[in-house]
Amino acid sequence: MSESLELIRDEGKPEAPALNRPRRAFIKSYGCQMNVYDSERMGDILALEGYDFANSPEAADLVLLNTCHIRERASEKVFSELGRLRAFKETRRAAGDEMLIGIAGCVAQAEGGEIMRRESAVDLVVGPQSYHRLPDLLRRARDGRRVIDTDFPVEDKFAELPALSEPRIRARGVAAFVTVQEGCDKFCSFCVVPYTRGAEFSRPVAEVVADVERLARAGVREVTLLGQNVNAYHGEDERGRTCSLGRLIGRLAESPGIARLRYTTSHPADMDEELIAAHREVPALMPYLHLPIQSGSDRVLAAMNRKHSAAHYLDIIKAVRQARPEIALSSDFIVGFPGESEADFEATLALIRAVGYAGAFSFKYSRRPGTPGAERADQIDESLKEERLARLQALLDEQRRAFNAETVGRTVDVLIEKRGRHSGQIAGRSPYQQAVHLDGPEELICQIVPVEIIAAAPNSLLGRRVEETHSAGECPT
């Protein structure tokens, strides 16, 4: 699934017009938080190349789609978007304007050659391990070449990326993502991540600390540590020792200005005692854990190659709740994996009832070419998958609503992140990742505010400010 090639395209193509303004880029990100982080870093690279940023693809000289291969029909959605972009590109070319179209991310990594074959409007395909090479790739694309770079480079991508820019950090707000781990060695039978992101890799502790401290100096107050298997983190510290995620969190909690830490996404097989202890010992680590299980059936978990049982998962939940009794839990579920029986599905519902979730992501199983699950003959009928998904989501929605309702009447600390939807309103998040809206002045943005929750809407909470405010440090202006 990796290739690196350069194709001459359209020998008669007119030379790109000389612009009397900075080039403009538009980046659209699909999927997970890792892709959001990657899109931000690609934006940092383009800013150093002199690009401004457009609010729509129609106004852009460069459009980058940063794709995700996890969701159902991912590649079809990309090709549908490309149909619209091709029309924009033709209109701009007729007017003598340049437009380059690039595909980045996991669909690019998995299907780069097919993208080039099917859609002539695409100038550039770059995988998630190669986007630090964007300046050179764009220069070649502007010379009229169609470029694919989906290699797994020898060099450390993160070491090649530009230092985080303080103005760009401030423009993004008071919460930020930092990738600390990439890749996966688990090879779940439904998943393409090991093929699109490669083997597990952990960034050195010093690099992560430097990134977080730079974010804090620019006004960031909450950092979410990212990884495909973030709790498999095993970066090297300054003394050459292997550092676990639990110890890394303890280290980052000492960074001046950082009030909140989170991490996602975790695998049950890597949920060790140090990380569980961090939930008890590190106040900055928020009481919220996203721990995917996918199924409550041991038979299905074995077929998925998940490397844990339902009982093991429940033991972890018990230990985490003993360490942090108020913790809120979230998970991922796949229904209709090949061979899933009604009894298997009922085991999943039973596990959900046993745990009680504050939120979850749930999907019908969909084949991913090249994965073992896609080759199985016992695929589940689509209508049955839809029926099971509806039942599962109804239960999860009931639990989410109940969790939010239990918050009503309590006072929780809310990190104010932005203006609200209405005049005079501000918005932020509770420690449990709930969106909270309340009346208040914009000067509270970046502050941690005690808020009494007075109502629960379907997807957010309504609060009333308690006058005391906890300063989270110097806030961006």
Side-chain angles (χ1 to χ4, degrees), residues 189-235:
S189 60
F190 55 82
C191 185
V192 298
V193 166
Y195 312 102
T196 60
R197 291 276 184 170
E200 288 180 357
F201 166 79
S202 296
R203 298 177 65 194
V205 171
E207 282 187 17
V208 177
V209 170
D211 274 2
V212 170
E213 290 180 346
R214 191 175 291 111
L215 290 168
R217 288 194 296 272
V220 168
R221 298 296 165 251
E222 177 177 296
V223 171
T224 300
L225 308 179
L226 300 179
Q228 265 81 39
N229 284 318
V230 68
N231 57 341
Y233 177 83
H234 56 275

Side-chain angles (χ1 to χ4, degrees), residues 455-470:
N459 298 305
S460 63
L461 303 176
L462 182 64
R464 177 170 49 223
R465 180 164 59 105
V466 177
E467 286 305 313
E468 177 189 6
T469 295
H470 310 312

Side-chain angles (χ1 to χ4, degrees), residues 67 238 301:
T67 61
E238 295 86 344
L301 289 171

Side-chain angles (χ1 to χ4, degrees), residues 124-140:
L124 166 68
V125 170
V126 57
Q129 304 307 323
S130 301
Y131 67 75
H132 59 291
R133 298 172 172 174
L134 263 178
D136 178 59
L137 299 176
L138 286 170
R139 279 189 285 273
R140 285 189 271 161

Side-chain angles (χ1 to χ4, degrees), residues 48 82 102 153 185 214 289-290 356 368 413 418 431:
L48 287 177
L82 284 173
D185 296 342
R214 191 175 291 111
L289 172 62
H290 183 68
R368 291 293 177 266
D413 285 342
K418 59 185 179 181

Side-chain angles (χ1 to χ4, degrees), residues 227-288:
Q228 265 81 39
N229 284 318
V230 68
N231 57 341
Y233 177 83
H234 56 275
E236 190 174 277
D237 70 12
E238 295 86 344
R239 297 171 64 180
R241 301 172 302 182
T242 298
C243 178
S244 68
L245 182 64
R247 278 190 282 143
L248 177 67
I249 286 169
R251 175 80 177 273
L252 296 176
E254 299 170 358
S255 302
I258 296 299
R260 291 180 164 188
L261 292 168
R262 303 182 188 272
Y263 62 92
T264 195
T265 289
S266 302
H267 192 289
D270 296 312
M271 201 74 196
D272 61 25
E273 292 182 3
E274 281 189 316
L275 185 53
I276 293 172
H279 281 279
R280 178 178 60 249
E281 297 166 1
V282 182
L285 181 57
M286 291 294 94
Y288 185 90

